[in-house]
Amino acid sequence: MEALHPDVSEVVLSEQDIKDIVARMGKEITADYKDKNPLVVAVLKGAVVFTADIMRAIDCPIAIDFMAVSSYGDGVKSSGVVRIVKDLDTKIEGRDVLIVEDILDSGLTLSYLIRMLEARGAKSVNVAAFLVKDVAGKKPAVHPHYVGSHVPDEFIVGYGLDYAERYRNLPYIGILKPEVYS
Ligand code: IMP
Ligand code: MG
């Protein structure tokens, strides 16, 4: 096993945990979409790693496209303001869309995206979130159809998730030490 990154206090999901979760989610998505030719929409940049894995775990025809939205800057709290940085290349009217997200915190980013894609005439819009952050006393604005795992209300990095663009390349999901961002 490789050494833990010095800025990470704890591993929440190991590489093997991630593999098992992706395989399970791939089966669920395959069962629901086998006759639908969905458009898988990855939300850049955090979801790229999960997208690369989950698309290979889906055993039916799919297309993929990418969107980039920004709600965080380099901070650690959602601003609630979502800016489209890169839009889809695909027309989604009449398509079954599956949004792939890295982590759902407040859900503000996703609820905005879902409303936008529905307004463009998508036939259905569902969400596969690799992680859902459990925040005491707060209900997220969106309930994803597919959830990989719940994580504690800490700042999470690795497997695509960053803090100020770092740590995306860690192969596991870990908790960032608060002294790194405070
Ligand atoms: P929401 O709009 O509050 O749900 O925030 C969702 C987005 O914020 C995610 O797509 C991530 O890019 C980012 N985010 C939220 N929590 C974390 C975290 O713990 N680590 C890294 N990024 C996060
Ligand atoms: Mg993101």
Side-chain angles (χ1 to χ4, degrees):
M1 218 194 104
E2 74 186 286
L4 188 61
H5 191 289
D7 295 346
V8 170
S9 62
E10 194 186 315
V11 172
V12 181
L13 299 172
S14 69
E15 287 190 70
Q16 188 58 52
D17 294 335
I18 292 171
K19 278 198 180 113
D20 295 344
I21 290 166
V22 168
R24 190 252 306 155
M25 293 178 84
K27 285 199 187 101
E28 293 170 5
I29 294 168
T30 302
D32 294 345
Y33 284 92
K34 56 181 183 299
D35 305 313
K36 292 190 173 160
N37 188 24
L39 178 69
V40 173
V41 171
V43 184
L44 297 172
K45 303 172 201 171
V48 283
V49 181
F50 174 49
T51 302
D53 283 348
I54 194 69
M55 65 188 282
R56 287 174 292 172
I58 300 173
D59 187 19
C60 63
I62 60 166
I64 70 162
D65 202 347
F66 298 92
M67 268 191 99
V69 296
S70 163
S71 65
Y72 256 58
D74 281 352
V76 294
K77 278 273 170 289
S78 197
S79 64
V81 179
V82 178
R83 188 167 60 92
I84 295 182
V85 178
K86 184 225 172 286
D87 208 336
L88 297 172
D89 297 323
T90 313
K91 274 224 177 65
I92 62 163
E93 209 182 321
R95 295 294 300 265
D96 291 301
V97 174
L98 180 64
I99 302 175
V100 174
E101 249 290 41
D102 49 2
I103 186 166
L104 189 133
D105 184 355
S106 67
L108 290 171
T109 311
L110 270 179
S111 70
Y112 175 89
L113 268 185
I114 292 168
R115 272 182 281 127
M116 197 193 74
L117 299 181
E118 283 175 347
R120 289 183 188 179
K123 188 174 172 194
S124 68
V125 182
N126 285 342
V127 173
F130 184 66
L131 301 175
V132 172
K133 202 183 271 192
D134 287 329
V135 183
K138 267 215 279 180
K139 282 241 184 314
V142 167
H143 294 279
H145 294 74
Y146 309 95
V147 174
S149 181
H150 290 260
V151 288
D153 187 13
E154 308 268 4
F155 203 82
I156 306 294
V157 292
Y159 195 60
L161 288 158
D162 74 308
Y163 171 65
E165 297 301 328
R166 293 185 62 196
Y167 315 106
R168 293 195 198 274
N169 55 329
L170 298 179
Y172 49 81
I173 292 285
I175 295 176
L176 188 64
K177 290 180 180 170
E179 60 258 38
V180 178
Y181 58 83
S182 54

